[in-house]
């Protein structure tokens, strides 16, 4: 398996410098693709992202937001997102998915072929996308999936019952 | 007691014509003052407003929203509010509180001296403001307060144990 | 309309003396018929009964429990109920519905023809049973129904739009 | 580390034969110590135990209940527990912790020095007690802890950063 494609992001909020999956190699990365006016993103996705931050150590799991606006573009620009991040007290980095010149779906959302929001993307320590979860995921399931990825030693090539990995 | 001052509203959404308190005389009116990026407005106020609509008959209780933006003005303009109303499936009329020329607090919010959002305003059948409730109000309490106002026959002057009313 | 039949109760817990509907004339009375091992009684009915106590003044609304055991009789005797009342910090009087000699359904439950638990019974100030609500009742609806009964002046015969009442 | 002491159980409900930790060697075992009249056991512990069952495969994680009655003994005997299991639709095996001759605390609870209910006990594949969690544990944390134990290959002795294990 190869590492996932890079994010195409026009700006990172809550981050001193641009964030890249490549730069997070060695950690499990949980990315919440959301829209600030998507009701179940607000009621479920953002609280779960915060819960992931609170449950796992930062040196093991990195939490990122990805603002993948595919509708109501005029209502969810950068200024609106900044207000949202402030009001909802979001502390993790949030990337703004790069708008497309040719359609409503932004570039990273298109590249990853996401079907909607919220979507939780889980990357392993080697940067391989391992789980794509659309909609409401129970906290216990999210916790279990992330913990299994954390438990993979795997910075070196290895074989297990399922496969041999680079 | 005299009827409450009129709302100063720059536009009404979800309404075929402008709404006025005076035009609703004879009904109890429940007005939810909110901001679309206020977390407890979204988690509590809007669902409770819908619940009021579902619990009381329309000929007895009218539910209105009032978008009282006093911060993050650039993020909560009319276009953004329209997207919010669409995504959160809000069916009651929502007035946009008229912005002030001289400060961040809009005119109706100022006139009613509201202290924040969400605030639930309850008007009786004569258009008198009877209750101003800031923050999270338990559903049972809201239901009880509204039902008591509904139960007041009161289109004519009358005395009860507490007072004589115009 | 005539006052509802008396409760047939083998013992009252949380009460200095036996409670009777007749003795509560002048108040609205909210009675929660429940079983201590009925899951939605525990998750919904008991908390709502407490909420009624907290929302309405005691001189206007009296809250009672009625333990209407119609199954698992051996598991829900008086000793078990006392432990339940202690652990769930129930402060209102709870009557034990009198077991029947001839079947599993206790006498008051039979007399009132209740269909299951939880059932919320609402009596007006004259002791007339006005609402019988089986299952999960939204807090707002419960609050509204009770408040309307509270708002009825009615200790004397009177006519309103709907009816003339004794 | 050595395997945890055996459970002293007077009867197993929901089980064709007595259950033992030794017999579950090779699986992670999640044991919920509870009392049927303990409010947060009912509102939190039992639902979380069911959630563990639903999240993890049975060949990897076994869920057990342990009825550790240390108060209100007369109200929480076997008949009452059977009614509780029926009404709350509990499908996992539940052991009745053996009452003590000398005090209110039953034998397994005493042996494991549990401080109250609910307590979640997590045993690894070798039968070693790894986590003892009293009170409300967030679902995500429970899921993560269990998944980490599942991920331990560990039927042979091994060393990791923290320790060498038998």
């Amino acid at each position: 398996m190869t590492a996932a494609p890079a994010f195409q992001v026009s700006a990172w909020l809550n981050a001193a410098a641009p964030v890249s999956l490549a730069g997070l190699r060695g950690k499990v990365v949980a990315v919440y693709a959301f829209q600030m006016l998507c009701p179940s993103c607000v009621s479920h996705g953002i609280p779960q992202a915060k819960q992931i931050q609170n449950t796992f150590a930062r040196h093991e799991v990195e939490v990122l937001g990805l603002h993948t606006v595919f509708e109501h573009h005029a209502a969810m620009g950068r200024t609106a997102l900044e207000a949202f991040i402030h009001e909802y007290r979001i502390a993790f980095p949030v990337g703004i998915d790069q708008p497309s010149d040719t359609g409503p779906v932004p570039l990273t959302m298109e590249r990853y072929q996401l079907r909607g929001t919220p979507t939780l993307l889980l990357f392993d320590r080697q940067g391989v996308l391992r789980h794509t979860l659309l909609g409401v995921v129970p906290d216990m399931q999210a916790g279990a999936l992330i913990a299994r990825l954390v438990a993979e030693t795997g910075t070196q090539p290895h074989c297990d019952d399922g496969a041999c990995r680079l």
Side-chain angles (χ1 to χ4, degrees), chain A residues 28-147:
Chain A
V28 171
V29 182
V31 178
Y32 243 113
F34 75 104
Q35 296 182 101
M36 59 175 278
L37 296 183
C38 147
S40 82
C41 297
V42 170
S43 65
H44 170 75
I46 299 296
Q48 186 169 80
K50 291 178 177 181
Q51 183 85 325
I52 296 171
Q53 264 197 315
N54 290 336
T55 302
F56 294 93
R58 179 106 194 240
H59 71 274
E60 292 194 322
V61 178
E62 186 79 17
V63 175
L64 303 175
L66 183 65
H67 199 226
T68 52
V69 179
F70 62 89
E71 58 184 344
H72 306 300
H73 294 79
M76 295 192 272
R78 175 172 179 154
T79 299
L81 179 61
E82 286 172 341
F84 178 83
I85 286 172
H86 177 80
E87 290 301 321
Y88 281 86
R89 297 165 201 267
I90 293 172
F92 46 81
V94 176
I96 299 172
D97 195 1
Q98 176 93 47
S100 164
D101 291 337
T102 59
V105 178
L107 299 184
T108 309
M109 189 174 182
E110 176 70 31
R111 179 176 279 184
Y112 276 82
Q113 303 203 23
L114 305 186
R115 310 309 307 156
T117 55
T119 295
L120 175 58
L121 302 166
L122 298 178
F123 298 87
D124 67 17
R125 294 180 187 274
Q126 285 75 47
V128 176
L129 176 60
R130 296 286 290 277
H131 304 289
T132 302
L133 303 153
L134 174 63
V136 173
V137 182
D139 277 357
M140 189 179 285
Q141 188 189 352
L145 290 171
I146 294 168

Side-chain angles (χ1 to χ4, degrees), chain A residues 1 126 153-160 163-166:
Chain A
M1 280 184 273
Q126 285 75 47
T153 50
T155 44
Q156 68 287 30
H158 71 288
C159 294
D160 60 22
C164 292
R165 299 172 195 284
L166 286 177

